[in-house]
Amino acid sequence: QVQLVESGGGLVQAGGSLRLSCAASGRTFSLYAAGWFRQVPGKEREFISAISWSGDRTYFAESVKGRFTISRDNAKNTVYLQMNSLKSEDTAVYYCAARSWGTAGTLQYEYPYWGQGTQVTVSS
């Protein structure tokens, strides 16, 4: 069982950068794969990025590839999403998710643990 808390969201101009953090409770978080999803009102939650428990495998949606990076610091029980070259269409609530099996997943149902979300707003 883990609890996830996202932070780092906010308002940024187009072209700017933000770094989201996902802090996890639980001593075994280093064994959990983690992912980032985002959602805008009226739309399905969308996969953004995922990272394996060891950090050696990462996955990205085509819409963010080359602009976003994902990393983790298992000593700090934290996963990061570095977002560069932000666009207005990146505006959404961003959620961190975790699962205790496999390398990483791109589908919502693969993740039983979720944070409460953090708002990212990109002004054009």
Side-chain angles (χ1 to χ4, degrees), residues 32-104:
Y32 282 61
W36 287 94
F37 292 74
R38 68 187 181 189
Q39 189 171 24
V40 297
K43 292 190 176 182
E44 292 288 319
R45 195 168 292 187
E46 172 190 22
F47 167 76
I48 296 301
S49 183
I51 188 167
S52 61
W53 66 270
S54 63
D56 64 339
R57 296 185 184 183
T58 58
Y59 307 85
F60 296 93
E62 284 299 321
S63 59
V64 304
K65 199 171 289 185
R67 300 188 297 123
F68 291 11
T69 58
I70 189 170
S71 61
R72 64 189 301 159
D73 184 339
N74 285 338
K76 296 182 178 180
N77 278 3
T78 303
V79 175
Y80 304 98
L81 184 69
Q82 178 67 42
M83 306 186 295
N84 299 327
S85 302
L86 283 162
K87 305 175 182 179
S88 57
E89 50 263 44
D90 294 318
T91 295
V93 177
Y94 283 70
Y95 296 90
C96 176
R99 70 178 195 183
S100 61
W101 71 94
T103 54

Side-chain angles (χ1 to χ4, degrees), residues 8-27:
L11 175 64
V12 64
Q13 288 188 333
S17 299
L18 281 176
R19 188 177 79 159
L20 305 184
S21 298
C22 173
S25 63
R27 293 176 295 176

